[in-house]
Amino acid sequence: MASNTMASGLVTTAQAHDEPYPLHDGDQAPPSNQAQMKICRVCRDEVGYQEDGKLFVACYECGFPVCRPCYEYERSEGDRCCPQCNTRYKRHKGCARVPGDDDDNLDCDDFNNEFPIRNHIEIHDRSSVFAHSENGDHHRQLGNNSGPAMSTTGGSEKEGYEGAEWKERIEKWKIRQEKRGLVTKEASEKDNGEEDDFLTTEARQPLWRKIPVSSSKISPYRMVIVLRLFVLVFFLRFRVTTPAMDAYPLWLISVMCEIWFAFSWILDQFPKWNPVNRETYLDRLSIRFEREGEPNRLSMVDVFVSTVDPLKEPPIITANTVLSILSVDYPVDKVSCYVSDDGASMLLFDSLSVTAEFARRWVPFCKKHNIEPRAPEFYFSEKIDYLKDKVEPSFVKERRAMQREYEEFKVQINSLVTKAQKKPEEGWVYLGSEGAFDVDGKALPRLVYVSREKRPGYQHHKKAGAMNALVRVSAVLTNAPFMLNLDCDHYINNSKAIREAMCFLMDPQLGKKLCYVQFPQRFDGIDPHDRYANRNTVFFDINMRGLDGIQGPVYVGTGCVFNRQALYGYDPPASEKRPKMLCDCLPSWCCGGGGGSRKSKLKKKMESSLIKSAFLMKKKSYGRSNLRKKGSGPVFDLEEIEEGLEGYDDLEKASLMSRKKFEKRFGQSPVFIASTLMEDGGLPGGTNSATLIKEAIHVISCDYDEKTEWGKEASIGWIYGSVTEDILTGFKMHCRGWKSVYCMPKRPAFKGSAPINLSDRLHQVLRWALGSVEIFLSRHCPLWYAYGGKLKWLERLAYINTIVYPFTSIPLLAYCIVPAICLLTGKFIIPTLNNLASIWFLALFLTIIATGILELRWSNVSIEEWWRNEQFWVIGGVSAHLFAVFQGFLKVLAGVDTNFTVTSKAADDTEFGDLYLFKWTTLLIPPTTLIILNMVGVVAGISDAINNGNGSWGPLFGKLFFAFWVIVHLYPFLKGLMGRQNRTPTVVVLWSILLASIFSLIWVRIDPFLPKQTGPVLKPCGVEC
């Protein structure tokens, strides 16, 4: 199969830092006649002098240069600490008192400023304000304060704020500033151009804010976790030291299972120690980067959509995802949509051509009436009042006309499905018209179809290989600095989702350290009771928020905006460390001090800085490549790109990677190599569409990433070697020191479809668990990989939990069998309890319940969602996870590969029709067997208690409790077996009864709990003596 690239008619034209002066209590700032004017390390203004002519020093501990306005802002709005040493700022004379100031520090008191109502404050012309960073410090965000504050994207709107709504927002902003004492009503009434001043000041505000969970909710939660750990230790000690001698094998198995459950709980619980929430400010993003009369400075974004089988992933679903991307609320010249067709289907290509034509009418309708969501299938199927907040008189008429056009569009797609055919064997390229426009004459985003070349004998690496092909194609054609990854069934539900991500990625401080922004997954079409925990709310609303407070959430495969530089295997920029305060009086051999040692270190530091600056300067030279006139393979020559190296000394040239090293790392494409060195994106000069298309076909050839570092140890692109490439890719980025962010807007950013059918759901879980087992058996296992890296310990615990959870299926299966055996044999795993043992049992159950309640309290997850998650943990554990463990060992150790099953995205015509559809799979046998065994055990235990009298009921209750625990957790599975007609398929019943009977007969034959006689067998002789 050959490579295809299509743009289907939707193509648009395209300080130096001064060293701090350390001071301590009692010291004085250097006099003005001896100190050179310093630059504020926060806002880049001059630090300035005090009233007595001395240089202003904000922190007397480290002397970190901060100007007085930044110092006052930090004390009033920030955490009141020095950004470098985190020492609390002391109050200077003339500054307002804030909570926490020492009352006995009378020498700095200034009662004229005790209640600071400032009537003549000048809005300082500074370029930034404090923004909360990941490490708890406060930094400044850069912003241009010249020119008007608002702009539009191809129209006259001010990003959703127009007319009365815009004025109302300005008035609310004024009131907030007046309450802070930054401006008064008298001053504001006199200033005619105050709106621009207000907006300019607002543009300097942080683009996002971290909101920790309130201490009243998180503190009791942490206390219960510690208490539960304490109780768990003593409970396990009691279980180990008090064996049940009459049922020793059962006791030993149960204790081993409980120890594993405790270990698994620790891995899952402690990464949730510090959950956080984040809040974004989209209006500030627009004010800062979209100013009237100036070019739009928002970064470009390439959106990737991946699909494999058009029969299991219907084209109408992919078309809705593409339409939601093309109509996103973002500048059209900064969005490009790439669709990867890994099945090389002519059906999908034709469907995208029809979709591109329908987008000419759908996109202007969405933007004119500001509708949500912008996927037509889900917009027209919503059961809401669509007239709410709509003021256009023509809306109803236009909506009805658009709905009729969408129905015609669906008929066109269905007709293509009926006459679908395979793609031609030869490679071919289709490029649409230069510049596509909607019916109103406005430009549309670019749409590109990609089908990579596949040939026998080459490793294609499934989804990871397809995503890496998209990375290379997009780098050649558009080279946006950020990339959004979506599955074909995940449409954009919030048209401002990309802007939400940009609030983090375009932050001048945090954005440079972020590898990706992950959004939670939300789903449509799930039954109201969520029988099989498809929403997975516990993971997305609890676990992921906990990880966001450490080093960032894990990558979950979709709904993620990447930093392109992080996918190229580069390290994040190093944070500035506090300089060591050493004197020159010590010899060089003493404690690493001395002038000679310091000068040597300083020289190495200068050389390193020079090399780094030379490397950054040389990136521009890589973009000035010339075109080849003839020749196959790469269209550009790396030697021609390196012509700009002349004129630099040997030290600067040493900082550049050699040609062979570049090609070994990224492959033999000089255009792509040049694009990797352009941090802000963009294309090299002197290129045109025709030559770039040829280069794009070259980078998606089947042998391009052979003998390169794509998907391998160098962490370039999506990592190969596992069907869950998402976990492995995110893990490698975090090991290199990158951070990630979890963004949860009020309106879900993306929505997708999930398999509500029992068999499909189990196969989906099987694939995820199989990928975790593959990672566990690989060299990238978090248990032993990258201990010298920059992965935080709690983050490592979370990754360990993601790869060991399938192995919990073995002790879980044993623990679910034990209650049935106890009921059938009359034995029990716990001996007679004394008062102390009863206390430990009761304390353990109470702490488990308290942990769950407090967790739901701070996360706002409903108890029904929590309970469904607990039930499916047992269902998946004794079925899909168990099979994944054995399949993983067979695949890694014996080389027996298992086929990758694509989850079906199609649904029954009736509402929740797939919920009752039965599909036979061997995954159904173990849970059914457990249900039958425990039900038989319950009947046998109750019958035995009835026959033996009242004395047998006491020990029976403990056994019945564990048996009912198993049955209740497997109840959704039992309902799934019954189907719509409450009938279980015969094959499942036969297999389960057969396994249960065989197990019972073997157990009766062995009978390990009866004492074995060694002497002669004595039988009654029948004679009365």
Side-chain angles (χ1 to χ4, degrees), residues 630-661:
K630 297 181 181 180
S632 60
V635 181
F636 298 84
D637 190 355
L638 190 61
E639 294 179 355
E640 296 173 352
I641 296 179
E642 292 177 345
E643 288 179 356
L645 297 179
E646 299 178 359
Y648 291 90
D649 55 26
D650 295 336
L651 181 61
E652 292 172 334
K653 289 182 179 179
S655 67
L656 300 175
M657 303 171 70
S658 66
R659 173 181 177 179
K660 291 184 178 179
K661 194 171 183 180

Side-chain angles (χ1 to χ4, degrees), residues 41-251:
R41 297 285 290 274
V42 177
C43 67
R44 303 302 178 190
D45 285 347
E46 294 182 353
V47 172
Y49 299 96
Q50 301 181 14
E51 296 178 356
D52 55 1
K54 297 180 180 179
L55 185 68
F56 178 78
V57 179
C59 178
Y60 287 103
E61 292 294 329
C62 65
F64 188 69
V66 175
C67 63
R68 191 181 187 98
C70 294
Y71 160 80
E72 293 177 351
Y73 183 90
E74 176 67 13
R75 278 176 48 85
S76 62
E77 301 292 337
D79 59 1
R80 308 182 184 105
C81 296
C82 173
Q84 176 167 277
C85 65
N86 286 331
T87 303
R88 181 183 174 86
Y89 277 139
K90 294 186 177 181
R91 177 171 173 251
H92 290 274
K93 184 175 182 180
C95 296
R97 184 182 297 275
V98 297
D101 286 343
D102 297 335
D103 294 333
D104 55 351
N105 191 11
L106 301 178
D107 56 338
C108 295
D109 285 344
D110 184 358
F111 293 100
N112 293 329
N113 290 276
E114 187 69 28
F115 304 98
I117 302 179
R118 306 178 184 178
N119 298 323
H120 52 279
I121 286 188
E122 177 184 2
I123 304 297
H124 293 275
D125 186 18
R126 294 172 304 177
S127 61
S128 53
V129 295
F130 281 103
H132 197 74
S133 68
E134 278 294 291
N135 56 9
D137 300 339
H138 282 69
H139 304 282
R140 289 269 175 163
Q141 295 183 343
L142 302 180
N144 189 0
N145 60 356
S146 62
M150 284 300 296
S151 72
T152 63
T153 307
S156 60
E157 295 181 353
K158 296 182 178 181
E159 289 303 324
Y161 299 103
E162 192 69 31
E165 183 181 358
W166 179 258
K167 294 180 180 179
E168 182 181 359
R169 192 178 75 86
I170 294 297
E171 291 300 325
K172 290 181 180 179
W173 188 89
K174 295 178 183 178
I175 294 174
R176 291 199 307 268
Q177 297 298 90
E178 290 169 5
K179 289 182 179 179
R180 295 175 183 175
L182 298 179
V183 71
T184 61
K185 294 183 178 179
E186 294 78 8
S188 63
E189 291 174 356
K190 294 179 182 179
D191 189 3
N192 296 327
E194 66 174 1
E195 181 174 340
D196 290 341
D197 294 335
F198 285 134
L199 296 179
T200 302
T201 306
E202 178 105 335
R204 301 191 190 113
Q205 299 295 323
L207 299 177
W208 63 278
R209 183 167 63 106
K210 182 190 290 186
I211 308 174
V213 179
S214 118
S215 58
S216 62
K217 295 181 179 180
I218 199 64
S219 296
Y221 176 66
R222 292 171 177 169
M223 292 173 60
V224 171
I225 290 175
V226 175
L227 179 62
R228 181 175 172 179
L229 182 63
F230 175 79
V231 171
L232 189 60
V233 171
F234 280 89
F235 170 79
L236 293 177
R237 177 180 176 276
F238 163 76
R239 292 284 285 127
V240 171
T241 56
T242 56
M245 302 308 298
D246 58 338
Y248 192 83
L250 291 179
W251 168 84

